[in-house]
Amino acid sequence: MEGKEEDVRLGANKFTERQPIGTSAQTDKDYKEPPPAPLFEPGELCSWSFYRAGIAEFIATFLFLYITVLTVMGFSKSTNKCATVGTQGIAWAFGGMIFALVYCTAGISGGHINPAVTFGLFLARKLSLTRALFYIIMQCLGAICGAGVVKGFEGDRVYETLGGGANVVAHGYTKGDGLGAEIVGTFVLVYTVFSATDAKRNARDSHVPILAPLPIGFAVFLVHLATIPITGTGINPARSLGAAIIFNKDHAWDDHWIFWVGPFIGAALAAVYHQIVIRAIPFKARA
């Protein structure tokens, strides 16, 4: 046992970060930093893998809206809330679907399923602008179709009576409250995405096996528990857009800007924090 404990300690401290200020944040002993994605990559447009990834994002976001909005509808139309899944069940539906869908699509498209995640990864130069825009369009189309199928199942009257799963700022909260909740909630999600998929972290902590979709799904679950009472929890502009378009009532559009501005700000803050503070972007040594 003593030998094993020593191995664990050696593994945990294998890659130290004791570089003096003004030196590169990585060493050859750690791993090779992947090159940043180009801003524009025209060659992608001639690649089947590019379109296959977009289709995967469309289908994943379609399934995400289908399952989650149906769950919200089932909760909303029950007169006895104790007999439904409850707020915790809704949070599990969102978190569980993200876990399953990221697991299924990560090897094809990266499993974004969220324009805010795509935006954050784009800012970190993990994908090109061409791919980022294509993903966001496909995610929004998938979300609209998913919410549309739910409306087809529930019927126009029931769907509209129950609010269509659209995100709005709840009574008793200001628009500023809603914006803040969306910023912080998306920060938690995107920061988790960066941490769970960080190649440098995996190289340093290889003694700690982790399934990346699990912490991402769990982050979505926890954020929903916290912010469902405030905004219904957006943290995903495609999810908010799909529900708003199919529901299409004035009060759903009044606050809709919050569910784009908030997630994009939160994603940008998470990208900056992770890249500059957590990962310490490499820079040249001082003379």
Side-chain angles (χ1 to χ4, degrees), residues 82-216:
C82 294
T84 67
V85 296
T87 302
Q88 294 89 345
I90 293 174
W92 274 120
F94 279 89
M97 278 304 291
I98 287 297
F99 168 65
L101 293 171
V102 171
Y103 179 82
C104 292
T105 60
I108 302 172
S109 65
H112 298 189
I113 322 170
N114 185 336
V117 171
T118 301
F119 179 66
L121 293 173
F122 165 71
L123 292 180
R125 303 293 300 276
K126 303 294 185 183
L127 70 165
S128 66
L129 178 62
T130 312
R131 186 174 291 264
L133 291 175
F134 184 49
Y135 277 14
I136 291 173
I137 292 171
M138 297 301 282
Q139 290 158 359
C140 290
L141 291 176
I144 294 168
C145 293
V149 170
V150 173
K151 184 175 181 178
F153 283 170
E154 297 290 341
D156 291 352
R157 185 182 63 81
V158 173
Y159 186 83
E160 292 176 3
T161 301
L162 300 177
N167 290 119
V168 295
V169 178
H171 294 295
Y173 294 96
T174 66
K175 294 184 187 299
D177 295 333
L179 181 62
E182 290 296 305
I183 291 173
V184 176
T186 311
F187 179 92
V188 172
L189 169 60
V190 178
Y191 176 42
T192 304
V193 170
F194 274 112
S195 298
T197 60
D198 186 2
K200 180 177 181 180
R201 177 191 173 282
N202 292 335
R204 290 173 51 84
D205 302 334
S206 57
H207 61 289
V208 183
I210 188 168
L211 183 64
L214 182 58
I216 296 171

Side-chain angles (χ1 to χ4, degrees), residues 11-286:
N13 298 311
K14 183 177 180 181
F15 302 112
T16 59
E17 285 202 42
R18 295 181 180 176
Q19 294 89 348
I21 293 176
T23 63
S24 172
Q26 68 185 57
T27 69
D28 291 336
K29 294 181 180 179
D30 197 339
Y31 78 113
K32 294 297 183 181
E33 181 77 24
L39 184 60
F40 296 102
E41 195 168 0
E44 288 185 317
L45 300 177
C46 301
S47 171
W48 163 241
S49 63
F50 175 79
Y51 297 100
R52 182 182 64 173
I55 294 170
E57 287 293 309
F58 172 88
I59 295 297
T61 316
F62 168 83
L63 295 174
F64 179 61
L65 266 288
Y66 170 72
I67 294 296
T68 56
V69 175
L70 263 182
T71 304
V72 172
M73 294 290 98
F75 170 79
S76 299
K77 68 181 173 183
S78 177
T79 55
N80 182 7
K81 302 305 181 186
C82 294
T84 67
V85 296
T87 302
Q88 294 89 345
I90 293 174
W92 274 120
F94 279 89
M97 278 304 291
I98 287 297
F99 168 65
L101 293 171
V102 171
Y103 179 82
C104 292
T105 60
I108 302 172
S109 65
H112 298 189
I113 322 170
N114 185 336
V117 171
T118 301
F119 179 66
L121 293 173
F122 165 71
L123 292 180
R125 303 293 300 276
K126 303 294 185 183
L127 70 165
S128 66
L129 178 62
T130 312
R131 186 174 291 264
L133 291 175
F134 184 49
Y135 277 14
I136 291 173
I137 292 171
M138 297 301 282
Q139 290 158 359
C140 290
L141 291 176
I144 294 168
C145 293
V149 170
V150 173
K151 184 175 181 178
F153 283 170
E154 297 290 341
D156 291 352
R157 185 182 63 81
V158 173
Y159 186 83
E160 292 176 3
T161 301
L162 300 177
N167 290 119
V168 295
V169 178
H171 294 295
Y173 294 96
T174 66
K175 294 184 187 299
D177 295 333
L179 181 62
E182 290 296 305
I183 291 173
V184 176
T186 311
F187 179 92
V188 172
L189 169 60
V190 178
Y191 176 42
T192 304
V193 170
F194 274 112
S195 298
T197 60
D198 186 2
K200 180 177 181 180
R201 177 191 173 282
N202 292 335
R204 290 173 51 84
D205 302 334
S206 57
H207 61 289
V208 183
I210 188 168
L211 183 64
L214 182 58
I216 296 171
F218 201 62
V220 171
F221 165 69
L222 293 174
V223 171
H224 275 77
L225 284 182
T227 59
I228 282 176
I230 304 174
T231 61
T233 308
I235 67 171
N236 185 333
R239 174 260 187 272
S240 300
L241 179 67
I245 286 178
I246 300 301
F247 182 55
N248 198 28
K249 298 297 179 183
D250 290 342
H251 67 276
W253 291 113
D254 290 341
D255 300 331
H256 186 69
W257 63 273
I258 290 173
F259 302 101
W260 282 86
V261 175
F264 273 55
I265 292 176
L269 291 175
V272 171
Y273 174 66
H274 186 266
Q275 293 297 103
I276 294 179
V277 178
I278 300 301
R279 296 191 78 252
I281 292 176
F283 49 93
K284 294 181 178 179
R286 292 173 179 171

